[in-house]
Amino acid sequence: MKMTGAQVVVNCLIEQGVDTVFGFPGGAVLNIYDALYEYQSRIRHILTCHEQGAAHAADGYARSTGRTGVVIATSGPGATNLVTGIATAYMDSVPMVAITGNVNVGLLGRDSFQEVDITGITAPVTKHNFIVKHAEELAPTLRRAFAIANSDRPGPVLIDIPKDITAAQIDYTPETPKPDVETNTPLPDLGEALDLLTQSQRPFIFAGGGAVASGACDTLAAFAEKIDAPVALSLMGLGSFLPESPRFTGMLGMHGSKASSYAVENCDLFIALGTRFSDRVLCHTDSFAKNAKILQIDIDPAEINKNIPVFASVAGDLGTILTALLRQLPDRISHTEWMKNVQAIKANYPIDRPLDGDTMPYAVLSTLHDLAPDAIVTTEVGQHQMWAGQYFHFTRPRHFLTSGGLGTMGFGLGAAIGAQVAHPGEHVINVAGDGSFFMNLNELATAVTYDLPVIELIMNNGVLGMVHQWQQFFYKEHYSHSVLDRQTDLSALARAFGALPFTIARPADIRPVLSESLQSGRPCVINCLIDPGENVLPMVPAGKPVGDPILSLEKGGGNETH
């Protein structure tokens, strides 16, 4: 059948099961937006306040559902405004398709109005990108983009479409997406991995975002039980292993637990599952797991031996590999003494509360968990992000959405909007710092416009918290431009946007404010006042071994103990 290129775009989205797109219109994508109007009963469009917010919303939609998020932006600045959001998705392996408009094919390369080489700009931060210069290539390119975004290690794909391609009349033949086809690829050799697992006396499992992406959470639990090992998670892996399990040792790395640092220092086999060995995990590469052999299992062969040399590796889907290992491992493996030692450290240095007594962030987040244990929590980046990872006990995958790789301040509110659109019946809370909040507060208007009951929980300490903490620890308390002197009345601001305002000024406010906001069914802004001396601990100083964390520090001072 004949239709315009723009209609082909929308029909291909419908083919791929897309029910929601996020975006912001402009001249180069007006044909696509006209087609969206025509098909509005089949695809919902969420108009954000800024293209970056749209990209983060598509990202949040994808992370919380496992389906591909879709974002649309116009040419030039509309396209470049997507770049941070695309890079955020790329670093965290999130499936996304970004569709940008461009000037007519004949105007490309002439510095035309709102022309930019967006494929050149995004080449380093996309899994693949395309520019469609021939109308007949449009449908195959869109279908290929979705296949690439979802295959192997997921990631973002960009399609740049000149305006005259969307106006062209072309033949379109509908296609049903082909299901993932089992290629009958033989399993890689597991012999070396099996030997290591059966010979180890002190195994330690470290799982990352790959456990979530592969849907391997139950298999991970069975694997840990089978080899009788403790389990730590990366920030991206939270929710993939039950925090109440006696095997769980918390996070590992710069802000990991003492129990995890003990385990990595004393294990004889370090088993890395679906994790890329970030510098924030390794801390000091040369001393990391120095007493252990490292076994790495990852879907992306490029991650193996990239950041740290490993003794053995298996490349493949984590769930598939773990299932095969479970079938081939002996029935009874026991490491009683090892587990006993790890649990003793965990008892002395609890992973689920601050090491130096109750704090406002702990009280707020633990109470929030009591009231809404299954909430989807997004975060911005900074101290509040780490507190959320430490104190909100995530029991389900895809319920903790955070920018782990790129560390994008401004990510959380957009991501919360995307998650709330995808899960209208669930509580969605964005935990923010006051520094991050001012980077994306415009998206409060989006939440209110679409009546999305997102809760914006601002940990307001009047400083750029993590920067301030580093300056306190390592820069002789020279708080250079990290103290915020905002005069904004956050309650008045919330009301101006149409959101409900709340303030937590003292511990007695916590439960009633959180309860009322959760029950309101409306967008809320909670201004939670905390002391700027509240720090994220433990903390491994940059370049120091992961087993040597700072465990306590006098608030406002520089006296540290290990």
Side-chain angles (χ1 to χ4, degrees), residues 325-386:
L325 288 171
L326 284 169
R327 284 198 303 264
Q328 299 180 50
L329 282 165
D331 287 338
R332 296 180 63 83
I333 299 177
S334 178
H335 304 114
T336 306
E337 192 65 25
W338 168 236
M339 284 300 305
K340 185 177 173 183
N341 291 341
V342 172
Q343 288 168 353
I345 299 295
K346 181 176 170 181
N348 289 331
Y349 300 94
I351 65 173
D352 58 352
R353 57 185 181 274
L355 299 176
D356 53 357
D358 287 354
T359 65
M360 182 68 91
Y362 167 72
V364 170
L365 290 164
S366 59
T367 303
L368 181 61
H369 183 268
D370 287 345
L371 295 171
D374 293 326
I376 296 172
V377 175
T378 68
T379 77
E380 306 297 344
V381 171
Q383 287 180 316
H384 59 277
Q385 177 189 32
M386 296 299 112

Side-chain angles (χ1 to χ4, degrees), residues 108-175:
L108 292 171
R110 300 187 180 190
D111 293 331
S112 303
F113 177 67
Q114 289 194 334
E115 180 200 355
V116 72
D117 178 11
I118 194 61
T119 55
I121 289 170
T122 59
V125 294
T126 51
K127 194 174 174 185
H128 198 82
N129 64 24
F130 303 88
I131 181 167
V132 181
K133 294 184 179 180
H134 303 282
E136 63 272 14
E137 297 174 356
L138 189 54
T141 299
L142 282 155
R143 290 163 182 153
R144 188 176 172 209
F146 276 87
I148 292 171
N150 282 285
S151 63
D152 300 320
R153 181 178 181 173
V157 178
L158 180 135
I159 311 167
D160 194 37
I161 311 174
K163 187 173 183 179
D164 52 344
I165 299 299
T166 63
Q169 288 284 331
I170 54 179
D171 287 317
Y172 167 74
T173 302
E175 287 188 9

Side-chain angles (χ1 to χ4, degrees), residues 396-417:
R396 297 167 63 186
R398 302 195 181 279
H399 276 58
F400 182 54
L401 316 181
T402 193
S403 175
L406 195 64
T408 305
M409 294 175 69
F411 166 80
L413 183 52
I417 287 168

